Amino acid sequence: PRQERCFRALCCKGPPPPRPEYDVVCIGLTGAGKTSLLSRLCSEGSDGIGPTTGFSIKAVPFPNAILNVKELGGADNIKKYWSRYYQGSQGVVFVLDSASSDEDLEAARNELHSALQHPQLCTLPFLILANHQDKPAARAPNQVTYAMLINSILCPSKRN
């Protein structure tokens, strides 16, 4: 009888309502931490993570939605193909290494500005994630904002 009550309770509730799904593209230079970020969001281990060759797709579950994240490798020989994977994206996650060299930060800034101006991405929501904040050389958020010239591209009327 107890098992019957449990079964009846389960079968009569029906399936849970579907969560909306959103397609997001995740970009950034090699070593910025894109794969580690997604592994962490998916509660996977981060041991043995290496550079992404090509791209990978992960479904990242949240209580109210699922993000289908297409992570694009950041190596120079892969970056030139990023735009081929932009179609259908509904948002962008740009990951940068906040502890990187000035030269690498400049390269990241150039890639960010290209993405912000790309016809398939320019109207989409962007999340810019300054990763590696736990490293001693990490720049503070206001330093990253300044280094990436974010205000000048997002708010052209506020240029100094």
Side-chain angles (χ1 to χ4, degrees):
R2 183 177 178 170
Q3 290 173 338
E4 187 179 310
R5 276 194 314 246
C6 182
F7 177 73
R8 193 176 306 135
L10 287 174
C11 76
C12 297
K13 286 187 177 184
R19 291 183 280 181
E21 295 189 28
Y22 301 98
D23 294 329
V24 175
V25 65
C26 181
I27 55 178
L29 300 183
T30 295
K34 300 176 298 294
T35 305
S36 297
L37 167 69
L38 294 176
S39 294
R40 186 149 200 168
L41 289 173
C42 291
S43 301
E44 298 172 353
S46 58
D47 294 341
I49 290 179
T52 300
T53 305
F55 72 95
S56 70
I57 299 175
K58 286 195 183 281
V60 181
F62 288 97
N64 298 324
I66 297 172
L67 297 183
N68 296 312
V69 181
K70 192 181 312 174
E71 175 204 351
L72 307 181
D76 287 337
N77 63 338
I78 297 172
K79 283 188 300 189
K80 59 187 173 188
Y81 298 108
W82 280 1
S83 62
R84 295 182 183 194
Y85 297 93
Y86 291 166
Q87 188 170 352
S89 294
Q90 296 169 288
V92 181
V93 176
F94 187 91
V95 181
L96 62 96
D97 180 355
S98 63
S100 66
S101 68
D102 289 343
E103 182 180 292
D104 285 346
L105 200 59
E106 183 177 344
R109 178 179 64 232
N110 292 337
E111 294 301 335
L112 172 63
H113 286 232
S114 289
L116 284 165
Q117 295 170 2
H118 192 279
Q120 290 179 312
L121 302 182
C122 65
T123 61
L124 300 180
F126 266 74
L127 168 65
I128 301 168
L129 180 77
N131 202 14
H132 300 295
Q133 287 290 305
D134 56 330
K135 292 185 177 178
R139 291 167 181 84
N142 63 337
Q143 293 172 312
V144 171
T145 300
Y146 178 77
M148 300 302 285
L149 300 172
I150 293 170
N151 288 337
S152 66
I153 191 110
L154 296 180
C155 310
S157 63
K158 293 186 178 182
R159 289 186 182 161
N160 295 334

